[in-house]
Amino acid sequence: MPHSTPIISTIVIGLVLAFAFGVVAHRLHLPPLIGYLLAGIAVGPFTPGFVADQSIANELAEIGVILLMFGVGLHFSLEDLLSVRGIAVSGAAAQAFLAVPLALALGWWQGWTPAAGVIFGIALSVASTVVVLRLLQERRLVETERGRITVGWLIVQDLAMVLVLVLLPPLAGALKGEAAAQSSVIQSLVLTLAKIAGFVALMLIVGKRVIPALLHYVAHTGSRELFRLSVLSVALGVAYASTVLFGVSLALGAFFAGTVLSESRLSQQAATETLPFRDAFAVLFFVSVGMLFDPSFVFKAPGALLATVLVIVLGKSIAAYAVVRLFGHRHATALTISGSLAQIGEFSFILAALATRLTLLPESGRNLILAGAIISILMNPLIFAALDGLFAKSERMRGKAVAAREEEIPTREPVRPTSLTGHVVLIGHGRVGSFISAVLERSVTPLFVIEDNDEVVKGVKVRGIEAVSGNAADPEVIRVANLSAARCLLVAIPDAFEGGQVVEQARAINPLLPIIARAHSQAEIEHLKRHGATIVVMGEHEIAKAMLEEIALPSMSTVAPEPQKGSESGSLASERRVTGRK
């Protein structure tokens, strides 16, 4: 391939195939993660056609791990963990204590060392945070008791895995039975723990002050570009420095960088700014993992693969169900939590890659982990479909109409429709949406807000405003806004693509509803108008009009530019009404 370099071809072909397979997976109602893994298999050395550079893919995957761990740290909530600490710690420990002996037995059958069996069991005991959180969000369970328990459970597992990843390298020699290593393992372990303690102390004492202060300073410059760069610099810089100066893993450094920033009010903005980069490099991480998998292994060791899947899907679920029931929760709650945790994902991949590199886990073990992850993630939607059917059948047997009583289905939290009429429906409560809601609140105008940030929704509800957490592009969410009786719809989200979906669905519900949306370009204006928006306001145009109006040019009407199509219908007058300008 002329004029191409390995790094460019690896990134381009990896991302393009991940996109293609991800779209197919989404179309089949499967997590896109499955598509990313399949893309990796397609460009791996075990399948025909293009073979990506494995070493480059691994380097890119390290960046993905750093940003994934930084994101985990940003969303780490000590308060949430403490609220469910008993059941979360017990549940995570129970799953590990059940998975490890079963894995040891499987390893003995395969001829592995005991150390390989233990590592294999630990990898099978950890659920995928990415998959579980997406599942909880789709079913609106994050803010429920079931959701809080599951998230706390995931946090405990993530913290335990961080500790395993940090301690595994210094323990590698002893686990392999090397005599010299066994004699110095305590010294090596103490030295590693001392380095970790020094790094953690530095982050908590210095980093907790310096990092938020630095980001606050950059935020006040008003440059979004600099702020985005500062967040990436903190994530990557702290991770790299932790390895160079303290010998601590990149993953732990990134996790603590996110943790010290999570208490800052800029944490949500930091998460938003790094999301595109985190998603892109996380995709490359999953692609690199898929490259390691040999598809023919499925036919070479079907019995071992079946046993692995049973440990993940059945063994872990039994342990989780028993713990939840022992803590006094209902049968339905226990089934929902155990079903959501019945798969493995990103941390299992990271541990498998590290253990294989340290020659603690044979390649067959890594292949079993990858195949088990793919199969268990594929099975997860089927498990919940089966649970939905089970609960529906149970209700019918008790003579209840499930269709009329959606709240009886424990695997999906219902969204109750608003009873407001003549109200304004506001989509998005960011900088624009919060200004609008403040003005409407003062004018005592009935308001209903749809926002996908749970923390923002909590704040809106505290003010006595009806709000729901979710994506307004979801038909089930937009229906609860009672658009047929609404006064108008204001689409204040900055994403014109998502805004177009919202506008299209709203127009289908109420063909006569006035819909006002925002845009950042002429193309976005045309896109939103095409989907049914009544008025589209472009912020830059309105700012220019307001500035020209302030200087009160006598002939302004003859020199002012013509309004852009889609934004002319009373947009300036609307601004005057909202801001209270005379």
Side-chain angles (χ1 to χ4, degrees):
M1 198 181 334
H3 308 298
S4 99
T5 62
I7 188 169
I8 292 176
S9 58
T10 299
I11 292 175
V12 172
I13 296 177
L15 287 178
V16 168
L17 284 179
F19 165 71
F21 283 106
V23 169
V24 173
H26 184 269
R27 185 72 177 171
L28 296 174
H29 303 289
L30 298 171
L33 184 147
I34 293 293
Y36 308 153
L37 292 172
L38 293 177
I41 295 173
V43 298
F46 305 105
T47 53
F50 172 79
V51 177
D53 190 302
Q54 184 68 61
S55 60
I56 289 175
N58 288 337
E59 291 281 343
L60 296 172
E62 287 290 352
I63 300 178
V65 171
I66 290 172
L67 295 178
L68 275 172
M69 292 302 300
F70 181 68
V72 172
L74 279 176
H75 292 97
F76 176 75
S77 171
L78 185 60
E79 181 182 347
D80 288 346
L81 178 59
L82 291 176
S83 67
V84 294
R85 60 187 181 277
I87 188 171
V89 173
S90 302
Q95 286 191 316
F97 287 144
L98 180 64
V100 168
L102 292 175
L104 276 169
L106 179 58
W108 175 79
W109 177 35
Q110 296 290 301
W112 300 346
T113 64
V118 171
I119 293 170
F120 185 65
I122 293 173
L124 298 188
S125 69
V126 184
S128 168
T129 303
V130 174
V131 174
V132 174
L133 287 179
R134 181 68 58 84
L135 176 74
L136 295 177
Q137 288 167 354
E138 288 177 352
R139 291 174 171 265
R140 296 177 296 278
L141 294 172
V142 175
E143 293 301 314
T144 65
E145 181 186 41
R146 290 152 286 171
R148 286 191 293 272
I149 292 172
T150 306
V151 170
W153 202 305
L154 290 171
I155 291 173
V156 171
Q157 289 185 338
D158 289 352
L159 289 175
M161 285 300 293
V162 168
L163 187 61
V164 170
L165 293 173
V166 169
L167 295 179
L168 196 58
L171 291 173
L175 291 173
K176 286 186 285 188
E178 297 174 5
Q182 286 177 344
S183 63
S184 60
V185 65
I186 297 178
Q187 179 183 350
S188 176
L189 191 58
V190 169
L191 181 61
T192 300
L193 291 174
K195 288 180 178 180
I196 295 172
F199 169 72
V200 172
L202 183 65
M203 290 297 292
L204 294 179
I205 297 171
V206 179
K208 201 170 185 179
R209 299 173 184 270
V210 174
I211 292 177
L214 173 65
L215 293 187
H216 277 277
Y217 170 78
V218 176
H220 282 102
T221 65
S223 172
R224 188 168 187 173
E225 178 182 343
L226 276 178
F227 183 77
R228 185 180 294 123
L229 184 60
S230 68
V231 174
L232 285 173
S233 298
V234 166
L236 298 175
V238 171
Y240 183 73
S242 67
T243 299
V244 173
L245 300 178
F246 292 91
V248 174
S249 70
L250 294 168
L252 182 64
F255 174 77
F256 267 96
T259 301
V260 299
L261 186 56
S262 66
E263 297 181 11
S264 167
R265 61 183 178 86
L266 288 173
S267 62
Q268 185 60 43
Q269 183 65 18
T272 301
E273 295 298 335
T274 58
L275 189 59
F277 302 97
R278 193 163 75 239
D279 286 348
F281 281 101
V283 167
L284 290 174
F285 164 69
F286 291 123
V287 169
S288 73
V289 169
M291 290 175 64
L292 302 172
F293 180 61
D294 181 1
S296 65
F297 180 80
V298 174
F299 305 101
K300 293 176 182 176
L305 179 56
L306 177 61
T308 300
V309 173
L310 288 175
V311 171
I312 297 170
V313 175
L314 190 60
K316 285 174 55 181
S317 297
I318 291 173
Y321 179 87
V323 169
V324 176
R325 291 292 281 164
L326 283 172
F327 273 79
H329 293 281
R330 295 186 304 125
H331 167 72
T333 299
L335 282 178
T336 303
I337 294 172
S338 60
S340 65
L341 297 170
Q343 31 66 33
I344 59 173
E346 57 279 358
F347 265 116
S348 303
F349 302 151
I350 297 172
L351 178 59
L354 177 62
T356 305
R357 191 163 62 247
L358 295 172
T359 66
L360 290 170
L361 183 70
E363 289 192 7
S364 59
R366 182 184 62 194
N367 282 330
L368 283 173
I369 289 172
L370 295 177
I374 294 172
I375 294 173
S376 63
I377 292 172
L378 282 170
M379 291 180 64
N380 214 228
L382 301 178
I383 291 172
F384 269 85
L387 288 177
D388 289 340
L390 176 65
F391 293 133
K393 182 179 179 181
S394 175
E395 292 302 318
R396 283 196 299 270
M397 289 177 63
R398 292 193 304 200
K400 297 181 180 179
V402 178
R405 297 191 56 180
E406 190 180 357
E407 67 271 19
E408 295 292 342
I409 303 178
T411 55
R412 185 182 297 274
E413 188 70 9
V415 184
R416 306 184 190 285
T418 180
S419 58
L420 292 174
T421 57
H423 57 296
V424 174
V425 179
L426 174 62
I427 310 298
H429 203 268
R431 289 178 297 177
V432 175
S434 58
F435 180 82
I436 293 172
S437 71
V439 174
L440 294 177
E441 189 177 15
R442 289 196 297 270
S443 65
V444 201
T445 302
L447 178 63
F448 185 81
V449 176
I450 299 178
E451 163 65 45
D452 61 4
N453 187 314
D454 296 326
E455 294 301 318
V456 172
V457 170
K458 288 180 183 178
V460 171
K461 288 181 176 179
V462 167
R463 292 161 50 191
I465 298 173
E466 280 196 48
V468 65
S469 176
N471 188 334
D474 182 348
E476 194 173 353
V477 174
I478 194 68
R479 276 199 299 268
V480 306
N482 194 18
L483 292 178
S484 59
R487 175 180 173 184
C488 68
L489 171 67
L490 305 180
V491 184
I493 53 177
D495 186 340
F497 176 75
E498 185 177 322
Q501 293 179 298
V502 175
V503 169
E504 184 177 30
Q505 294 192 53
R507 181 59 67 213
I509 295 172
N510 187 347
L512 301 178
L513 180 70
I515 301 176
I516 305 173
R518 63 182 285 200
H520 296 288
S521 67
Q522 181 62 33
E524 291 186 359
I525 290 175
E526 293 172 357
H527 172 76
L528 291 164
K529 291 285 286 185
R530 189 166 56 250
H531 281 80
T534 311
I535 300 171
V536 182
V537 180
M538 186 171 168
E540 290 81 355
H541 293 168
E542 301 308 314
I543 293 171
K545 291 175 187 177
M547 295 174 93
L548 288 169
E549 187 185 64
E550 287 297 334
I551 61 176
L553 289 176
S555 58
M556 188 176 72
S557 61
T558 62
V559 299
E562 287 295 320
Q564 292 291 328
K565 178 184 178 183
S567 63
E568 71 271 21
S569 305
S571 54
L572 184 56
S574 300
E575 182 184 356
R576 287 175 180 165
R577 285 195 297 273
V578 171
T579 59
R581 292 169 52 87
K582 302 294 185 185

